[in-house]
Amino acid sequence: MKPYSLDLRQKIVDAYACGDISQRKLAKNFGVTLSFVQNLLKRDRELGTICPKVRTEQTPTKLNAEQLEILRQLVAAQPDATLSELRERLYEKTEVFIGVATVNRMVRWKLHLNLKKKVSTPRRKTLMKSNSPDLSTGNS
């Protein structure tokens, strides 16, 4: 999610500085959460800045290179496996338990793979003869 603009942040701080308005009303008037207003004012008071925090370090991936390679092999062995099945097989081989959403991210974004499902044969369209009486003609 993108951070709120500096313009909006400054308007909130200025409105609070004028007084006569609670943090709750500020949040409601500007369409932000109360916790955002509280944290913004605290940041302004303690650090003297209203700029959003800059994320300096990304969260490390859940799987290392070796585990990603095992996941790649699992997908190659059975490309129509569900994410849940891949998760279970990965746990059996590496003893690393991750969520289904994490498996999806690793397969799509780290390994650049798509999970292909088996193409099922189309159903045959057959007309089923009804055993009920034909009400439109009045015959039974």
Side-chain angles (χ1 to χ4, degrees):
M1 191 170 143
K2 290 177 63 175
Y4 290 118
S5 69
L6 287 176
D7 182 49
L8 176 66
R9 292 166 178 265
Q10 190 62 54
K11 286 178 183 178
I12 292 171
V13 170
D14 291 344
Y16 188 75
C18 290
D20 296 338
I21 190 164
S22 70
Q23 291 180 4
R24 257 182 233 289
K25 285 184 181 177
L26 269 177
K28 187 175 181 182
N29 291 348
F30 286 99
V32 296
T33 62
L34 174 61
S35 62
F36 171 75
V37 171
Q38 291 169 337
N39 290 333
L40 177 65
L41 296 173
K42 180 179 179 183
R43 187 168 170 79
D44 182 46
R45 197 173 45 250
E46 292 178 358
L47 302 176
T49 181
I50 57 170
C51 294
K53 293 179 187 174
V54 177
R55 190 168 183 177
T56 58
E57 194 175 301
Q58 288 291 336
T59 305
T61 60
K62 302 290 182 189
L63 301 177
N64 61 30
E66 180 183 326
Q67 294 161 340
L68 278 171
E69 185 54 37
I70 291 171
L71 182 58
R72 182 188 302 279
Q73 293 168 1
L74 291 171
V75 173
Q78 190 177 3
D80 63 336
T82 65
L83 294 172
S84 295
E85 292 170 342
L86 287 172
R87 177 176 75 159
E88 291 169 13
R89 292 185 187 129
L90 182 67
Y91 179 72
E92 290 170 3
K93 293 198 178 238
T94 63
E95 294 186 3
V96 173
F97 193 72
I98 57 177
V100 174
T102 305
V103 173
N104 186 37
R105 278 194 309 276
M106 295 295 132
V107 168
R108 291 184 188 275
W109 303 111
K110 288 288 183 187
L111 301 177
H112 306 291
L113 300 174
N114 288 322
L115 295 175
K116 298 286 185 179
K117 300 297 175 202
K118 289 182 182 174
V119 178
S120 62
T121 56
R123 290 187 175 183
R124 296 166 84 190
K125 293 182 180 178
T126 58
L127 296 174
M128 295 181 61
K129 191 172 185 178
S130 175
N131 292 335
S132 62
D134 186 7
L135 299 176
S136 62
T137 61
N139 297 337
S140 44

